[in-house]
Amino acid sequence: MKFFKTNARLDQLQPSSILAFDAAISEIPDIIKLTLGEPDFNTPEHVKAAGKASITNNESHYTDSSGKLVLRVAAADFLHNKYHATYNPTNQIIVTVGATGAIYSTITALTNPNDEVIIPIPIFPLYIPITLLNGAKPVFVDTTNDGFKLTPSRLQATLLAHPQAKMLILNYPTNPTGVTYTREELTALVEPLRNKPIVVLSDEIYSELSYDQNHVSLGEILPEQTILVTGLSKSHAMTGWRIGFAAGPADLIQKIAMISQFTVTSATTNAQDAAIEALTSGADDGLIMQAEYVKRRDYLIKRLTQMGIAVIKPTGAFYIFMQIPTQFGTDSFAFGHRLAIEAHLGLVPGGAFPAGEGYMRLSYAASMTNLINAMDRLERFMQAHV
Ligand SMILES: Cc1ncc(COP(=O)(O)O)c(C=O)c1O
């Protein structure tokens, strides 16, 4: 179709460089890949059983496009009990196809062409193509020199320079850096936003994987201006079931629900039934995995520090964003390929994330055996190139 013109906004976008890099190194024999952004655990048995029962019971029909009410009730209870965020399940929460569905519908429903969207970086890249597809404009704030956190003064300065900004995107615990915010930090951070016509899309998908401190939700701190995005992919090792949520003020959720309805009709019915089980009987399933991730994190931080590699200790999610040792320069893709070819170790180049050049993302959603072997390989590689 030589003369056929596709959506011009797509011309600004590139396919995911994380997936491309992962595919390129996957052929290397015996490679250990710490590249994956999904739990290595299986979905808990009782949750799988609920999904199977749903199929057996012929739950094979569309649901309400906002999701089964009983699931929205379970999600509201979960958010209330865990994070003191209070939502009315009838009009303040919708079920989406993964957190991705919530992010897509939120940005699409709440922005107009040329609206500015403030995005602290490095961050999970998905928000950027969705912003661009809507004709809105990302305004990046580099947090590298602030310990990868957006500070109130940087936010204030950005708001002054961009008074028309419509949305702020926050993701914490943060992919790819693993940092998160304390209650005090969040309270100070939202101060410049209060009572301004600006909405925060707060992607808290890793909330159950917070270490050393309890997760504090913007759904508690700034409910009237927050769309809380979450889901079961990380907390319950359910990436493939594709269940997420968007929660917030009823008038905004009504618009977000329209986009979700027009794009996917409703989330898969059997996955919704499994999700009800996950959020009720399995409300604390994530804590068992969390304990395992903490052990892995502590082990990795110890080994990396012994090797003299600079890292900020993550307090959530399952990533470490480590600086490339100076003798290897700062080109993360070049370093990533070299590490894969010479040491048979796969890490995601930081350059796959905005402002991430000079770093590598290491995912510890991998078995302890693989992590030990990975650190041994990295150590040998470093010793071979002093
Ligand atoms: C910060 C963040 N948000 C959202 C997602 C996507 O979640 P889901 O699989 O539920 O769509 C991911 C996946 O890696 C993520 O890291």
Side-chain angles (χ1 to χ4, degrees):
M1 292 282 272
K2 207 169 164 198
F3 303 111
F4 187 81
K5 288 240 184 299
T6 55
N7 184 335
R9 285 178 183 159
L10 277 171
D11 297 342
Q12 305 172 64
L13 312 185
Q14 303 290 335
S16 162
S17 55
I18 303 182
L19 297 184
F21 178 81
D22 190 64
I25 63 167
S26 291
E27 298 306 311
I28 296 173
D30 180 40
I31 189 154
I32 296 177
K33 290 196 302 173
L34 304 183
T35 48
L36 280 189
E38 63 173 332
D40 56 311
F41 296 101
N42 291 323
T43 301
E45 288 302 326
H46 68 110
V47 176
K48 292 196 309 204
K52 288 179 202 164
S54 171
I55 295 171
T56 306
N57 295 337
N58 292 314
E59 289 289 331
S60 52
H61 304 278
Y62 296 125
T63 67
D64 184 311
S65 74
S66 292
K68 287 189 168 189
L69 182 58
V70 55
L71 176 53
R72 285 182 275 144
V73 169
D77 287 347
F78 184 88
L79 293 173
H80 184 74
N81 296 339
K82 295 253 177 181
Y83 309 122
H84 317 295
T86 307
Y87 296 107
N88 180 342
T90 61
N91 60 3
Q92 290 193 290
I93 296 194
I94 60 164
V95 181
T96 54
V97 178
T100 301
I103 294 164
Y104 179 82
S105 297
T106 300
I107 298 175
T108 304
L110 304 188
T111 61
N112 282 298
N114 296 318
D115 277 347
E116 290 178 319
V117 176
I118 301 173
I119 309 181
I121 51 175
I123 203 168
F124 178 55
L126 176 74
Y127 318 106
I128 302 162
I130 298 177
T131 299
L132 293 171
L133 275 175
N134 281 289
K137 294 183 178 156
V139 172
F140 295 118
V141 184
D142 189 344
T143 63
T144 312
N145 293 328
D146 296 313
F148 298 130
K149 294 190 197 186
L150 182 62
T151 62
S153 57
R154 291 299 302 283
L155 177 58
Q156 182 77 281
T158 310
L159 290 171
L160 277 175
H162 300 271
Q164 303 300 325
K166 229 5 213 319
M167 182 179 281
L168 165 68
I169 297 200
L170 273 190
N171 161 231
Y172 68 95
T174 309
N175 177 6
T177 59
V179 300
T180 194
Y181 294 82
T182 63
R183 176 175 294 276
E184 291 68 33
E185 286 169 335
L186 283 172
T187 309
L189 181 61
V190 301
E191 223 29 63
L193 300 172
R194 279 199 194 277
N195 303 317
K196 297 214 171 82
I198 180 160
V199 171
V200 187
L201 186 169
S202 190
D203 179 349
E204 302 178 24
I205 184 99
Y206 293 100
S207 59
E208 285 291 280
L209 305 181
S210 285
Y211 318 127
D212 314 327
Q213 66 183 59
N214 286 333
H215 178 81
V216 181
S217 176
L218 270 200
E220 176 196 350
I221 307 258
L222 190 68
E224 60 286 354
Q225 284 171 250
T226 297
I227 302 298
L228 171 58
V229 168
T230 188
L232 297 179
S233 294
K234 318 290 172 168
S235 60
H236 289 75
M238 289 177 71
T239 46
W241 297 78
R242 312 303 304 130
I243 294 292
F245 303 94
D251 53 344
L252 301 184
I253 289 294
Q254 190 212 348
K255 303 289 185 191
I256 295 165
M258 285 169 75
I259 303 293
S260 193
Q261 179 180 96
F262 297 152
T263 44
V264 296
T265 303
S266 59
T268 304
T269 304
N270 312 117
Q272 290 193 48
D273 285 334
I276 294 165
E277 173 70 12
L279 288 177
T280 52
S281 306
D284 286 333
D285 285 352
L287 303 183
I288 300 163
M289 301 182 220
Q290 188 204 78
E292 191 55 39
Y293 287 128
V294 171
K295 278 192 224 151
R296 297 174 186 178
R297 175 202 65 172
D298 290 346
Y299 170 76
L300 291 174
I301 293 290
K302 194 170 110 211
R303 290 291 305 268
L304 291 169
T305 312
Q306 280 165 354
M307 288 179 228
I309 293 179
V311 285
I312 289 185
K313 187 176 177 181
T315 43
F318 37 63
Y319 308 107
I320 293 179
F321 211 47
M322 56 168 248
Q323 231 166 43
I324 299 174
T326 44
Q327 67 266 38
F328 299 103
T330 54
D331 182 336
S332 60
F333 279 92
F335 180 72
H337 280 291
R338 223 177 136 184
L339 195 63
I341 292 163
E342 292 181 34
H344 294 194
L345 175 58
L347 306 182
V348 176
F353 303 89
E357 203 45 283
Y359 292 83
M360 302 296 290
R361 188 190 77 175
L362 182 164
S363 161
Y364 47 96
S367 71
M368 200 61 180
T369 312
N370 272 355
L371 294 178
I372 293 170
N373 286 335
M375 288 302 101
D376 290 346
R377 289 181 186 192
L378 182 60
E379 192 162 44
R380 280 198 297 273
F381 179 73
M382 299 268 298
Q383 283 161 353
H385 299 279
V386 270

